[in-house]
Amino acid sequence: MEQLTWTGSLAGLNIIFLGLCVMLALAVAAQIVVSFLPASEAQEINPDGTVARRGGVAGGLNRAVILLFALLILVVLIYIVAGAFMGPQAGIFGGMSQQMLPVWIALILTFAVSIHFKRRLGLYGKLFDSTVGMIGFAIVMFWVFTGVFGGLFDLLVTHDSLSQTSGMKNKLPGTPLRSPDEGEYPWFLLGGDNLARDVFSRLIKGSWVVVQIAPLATLFAFMVGITLGLPAGYYGGRLDTILSFLANLILAFPVILLFYLLVTPEIVLTGIPNYMAVFLFIFPLIFLAVLLNSRYYTQPSFRTPLLIVVLGVVGWLYLSLVSTDGAIVATDTYRIPGLPSMIDLFDIDAGVLVVFVSVVFVNSPTVFRIVRGLALDIKTRDYVAAAQTRGEGPWYIMLWEILPNARGPLIVDFCLRIGYTTILLGTLGFFGLGLESESPDWGSTINAGRRLLSLYPHAAIAPALALLSLVLGLNLLADGLREESLRD
């Protein structure tokens, strides 16, 4: 087996790719310089409200940037498509592209269906009218599909993320195995780390850790914040004072320090995160119960069976988390007794659950303050007064009048908060807190690779770029959603 180059037989495209990158950088730099000069050309207002120059030097630069960016995307697509068919013949990129084939198919289907039905999909469908939003959505969904296919179904990995291979310690990307077994993938596509483990497989597995924790923990934090923030802003008075004081008390601690304290082994051994989980995980039950009851309060024949089914399923999930055999239990000393093992639907690693609880606890006060502020503003609107005149109940007004009209800022904050949580997870893994020491999460992988960064940078750079791209995608997605929500 020969050492793989980055692009293999597609090396001829490298000069075109680098040339386009240089020209695009120069065009963008020229565009920035021209923007400071006095405007002598005609101006036009774009659909998103921004002002652009039409004609002249500025207009030509705008068209050049768009053209160069489109050509750059086209070259990247050629790398991906050709690599998916050619595999390692197209080098390291070709091997990775071929391994990621299920992800490409899922992305194509997602975009095809979404664009076809975008006029029926509300704010999500309008996202595909924004170039920035589509780019961000593509990056985010790439890592979501990578986590699901690679971490959950093991369709993308080339080797076991924890197994050590003889002779592959700190090997460079594209290094072939000395004596691969029959059916074993013959290369380490992104090289080996300091323990002779495949960096590519650990990168794929690490994405599953992020996909498991960041979105769901943020969703739970939003349920806590919405359930407490809406009544605080709507009713005001003593309830608002007490809840705001508790939120400010938590926010008074530095977030990073509070996060570190919650996941340290000494705190975990006290059982505090376990009891926090019992309290925090009850909020989805409360939120769904109040949401459905307020909506179908006048239809008891439909409301009651619906509540029984929904709360039964969600309650089962809740009990699975807090049961004796559930993964939330970190030690035998602090197990929650009295719940039979038959209710356990799943088994989640204790370290993952502790980090999950910590993320929910740290993010909930901030979400509470955002929801409270929005409720204080929206409750004075005419449509809220009209609902009160119709005789609607307070929770109906909060959940079906105020909350839908606050969805724009909340959706944007949700995307940004997932990115913030992703950075927190990476920081925790970097310092060896929360997750297991051998966990393939990106933070732990970066920490393991930094010790030899000057000699073998690939082990740290690969997960660092993955973390950067995911957070960038979430920020671009938030920008796109903000633009479309302002037009809505």
Side-chain angles (χ1 to χ4, degrees), residues 257-335:
L257 177 60
L258 182 60
F259 208 84
Y260 288 170
L261 288 175
L262 290 174
V263 299
T264 51
E266 292 78 11
I267 298 297
V268 172
L269 289 174
T270 65
I272 291 176
N274 301 340
Y275 296 113
M276 288 172 56
V278 173
F279 173 72
L280 292 173
F281 289 173
I282 202 71
F283 277 92
L285 273 169
I286 299 173
F287 177 80
L288 290 174
V290 176
L291 181 74
L292 296 176
N293 182 67
S294 62
R295 178 65 178 83
Y296 300 106
Y297 181 76
T298 58
Q299 306 173 41
S301 59
F302 177 75
R303 177 202 61 185
T304 303
L306 180 64
L307 282 174
I308 292 174
V309 173
V310 172
L311 296 185
V313 173
V314 178
W316 194 355
L317 295 173
Y318 170 77
L319 292 177
S320 297
L321 289 174
V322 301
S323 65
T324 301
D325 296 328
I328 193 172
V329 179
T331 64
D332 292 335
T333 306
Y334 291 97
R335 292 191 175 190

Side-chain angles (χ1 to χ4, degrees), residues 31-83:
Q31 195 178 34
I32 294 172
V33 172
V34 170
S35 66
F36 289 101
L37 300 178
S40 58
E41 303 90 2
Q43 296 181 342
E44 61 181 4
I45 300 177
N46 295 323
D48 59 357
T50 58
V51 178
R53 298 181 187 180
R54 181 178 56 193
V57 177
L61 285 173
N62 289 336
R63 290 190 293 272
V65 168
I66 294 173
L67 176 61
L68 289 171
F69 183 75
L71 291 175
L72 194 63
I73 295 297
L74 178 61
V75 173
V76 172
L77 290 176
I78 292 174
Y79 276 124
I80 293 174
V81 174

Side-chain angles (χ1 to χ4, degrees), residues 315-392:
W316 194 355
L317 295 173
Y318 170 77
L319 292 177
S320 297
L321 289 174
V322 301
S323 65
T324 301
D325 296 328
I328 193 172
V329 179
T331 64
D332 292 335
T333 306
Y334 291 97
R335 292 191 175 190
I336 301 174
L339 295 175
S341 59
M342 62 178 293
I343 67 173
D344 289 331
L345 296 176
F346 43 78
D347 185 19
I348 302 177
D349 180 77
V352 172
L353 226 356
V354 169
V355 172
F356 190 95
V357 172
S358 303
V359 171
V360 175
F361 181 74
V362 168
N363 284 323
S364 296
T366 308
V367 178
F368 164 83
R369 295 184 67 177
I370 294 172
V371 174
R372 172 186 174 274
L374 291 170
L376 284 170
D377 175 47
I378 296 175
K379 75 175 184 179
T380 61
R381 305 292 175 86
D382 292 340
Y383 50 81
V384 174
Q388 293 170 337
T389 304
R390 293 197 309 267
E392 304 290 358

Side-chain angles (χ1 to χ4, degrees), residues 206-215 217-218 256 259-260 263 351-352 354-359 417-435 439 441-446 467 470:
S207 65
W208 177 234
V209 176
V210 176
V211 170
Q212 283 184 94
I213 298 177
T218 305
I256 298 295
F259 208 84
Y260 288 170
V263 299
V352 172
V354 169
V355 172
F356 190 95
V357 172
S358 303
V359 171
R417 200 163 295 279
I418 294 176
Y420 173 64
T421 302
T422 303
I423 295 173
L424 276 179
L425 293 175
T427 305
L428 283 179
F430 185 83
F431 287 106
L433 297 173
L435 301 175
S439 171
D441 70 281
W442 293 339
S444 300
T445 308
I446 295 171
L467 183 63
L470 177 56

Side-chain angles (χ1 to χ4, degrees), residues 43-345:
Q43 296 181 342
E44 61 181 4
I45 300 177
N46 295 323
D48 59 357
T50 58
V51 178
R53 298 181 187 180
R54 181 178 56 193
V57 177
L61 285 173
N62 289 336
R63 290 190 293 272
V65 168
I66 294 173
L67 176 61
L68 289 171
F69 183 75
L71 291 175
L72 194 63
I73 295 297
L74 178 61
V75 173
V76 172
L77 290 176
I78 292 174
Y79 276 124
I80 293 174
V81 174
F85 287 99
M86 298 171 62
Q89 292 182 4
I92 297 171
F93 288 138
M96 290 192 295
S97 179
Q98 191 174 65
Q99 287 297 120
M100 306 296 288
L101 188 58
V103 176
W104 307 135
I105 295 174
L107 279 175
I108 292 171
L109 291 176
T110 300
F111 268 77
V113 174
S114 299
I115 292 175
H116 182 72
F117 295 102
K118 66 180 182 179
R119 298 307 174 200
R120 307 178 187 177
L121 298 175
L123 182 59
Y124 169 74
K126 293 179 180 178
L127 178 66
F128 292 88
D129 294 328
S130 168
T131 303
V132 172
M134 281 197 295
I135 294 173
F137 180 73
I139 296 173
V140 172
M141 292 310 298
F142 169 82
W143 286 115
V144 170
F145 289 134
T146 298
V148 172
F149 291 134
L152 186 60
F153 298 111
D154 288 332
L155 295 178
L156 310 179
V157 295
T158 55
H159 300 86
D160 185 356
S161 62
L162 297 177
S163 65
Q164 298 171 299
T165 303
S166 177
M168 298 303 291
K169 180 178 179 179
N170 292 324
K171 291 299 182 181
L172 296 177
T175 301
L177 275 66
R178 291 182 177 177
S179 55
D181 298 331
E182 185 178 354
E184 185 179 15
Y185 200 81
W187 291 278
F188 270 16
L189 291 175
L190 290 179
D193 63 7
N194 62 332
L195 294 178
R197 299 171 300 190
D198 182 28
V199 173
F200 175 76
S201 298
R202 289 182 64 79
L203 180 71
I204 298 299
K205 285 291 186 179
S207 65
W208 177 234
V209 176
V210 176
V211 170
Q212 283 184 94
I213 298 177
L216 289 177
T218 305
L219 180 62
F220 271 58
F222 264 72
M223 288 187 177
V224 176
I226 290 172
T227 305
L228 298 178
L230 283 177
Y234 184 78
Y235 288 113
R238 185 173 298 177
L239 176 64
D240 182 23
T241 302
I242 294 173
L243 293 177
S244 297
F245 173 77
L246 293 175
N248 292 332
L249 186 64
I250 298 173
L251 293 174
F253 289 91
V255 174
I256 298 295
L257 177 60
L258 182 60
F259 208 84
Y260 288 170
L261 288 175
L262 290 174
V263 299
T264 51
E266 292 78 11
I267 298 297
V268 172
L269 289 174
T270 65
I272 291 176
N274 301 340
Y275 296 113
M276 288 172 56
V278 173
F279 173 72
L280 292 173
F281 289 173
I282 202 71
F283 277 92
L285 273 169
I286 299 173
F287 177 80
L288 290 174
V290 176
L291 181 74
L292 296 176
N293 182 67
S294 62
R295 178 65 178 83
Y296 300 106
Y297 181 76
T298 58
Q299 306 173 41
S301 59
F302 177 75
R303 177 202 61 185
T304 303
L306 180 64
L307 282 174
I308 292 174
V309 173
V310 172
L311 296 185
V313 173
V314 178
W316 194 355
L317 295 173
Y318 170 77
L319 292 177
S320 297
L321 289 174
V322 301
S323 65
T324 301
D325 296 328
I328 193 172
V329 179
T331 64
D332 292 335
T333 306
Y334 291 97
R335 292 191 175 190
I336 301 174
L339 295 175
S341 59
M342 62 178 293
I343 67 173
D344 289 331
L345 296 176

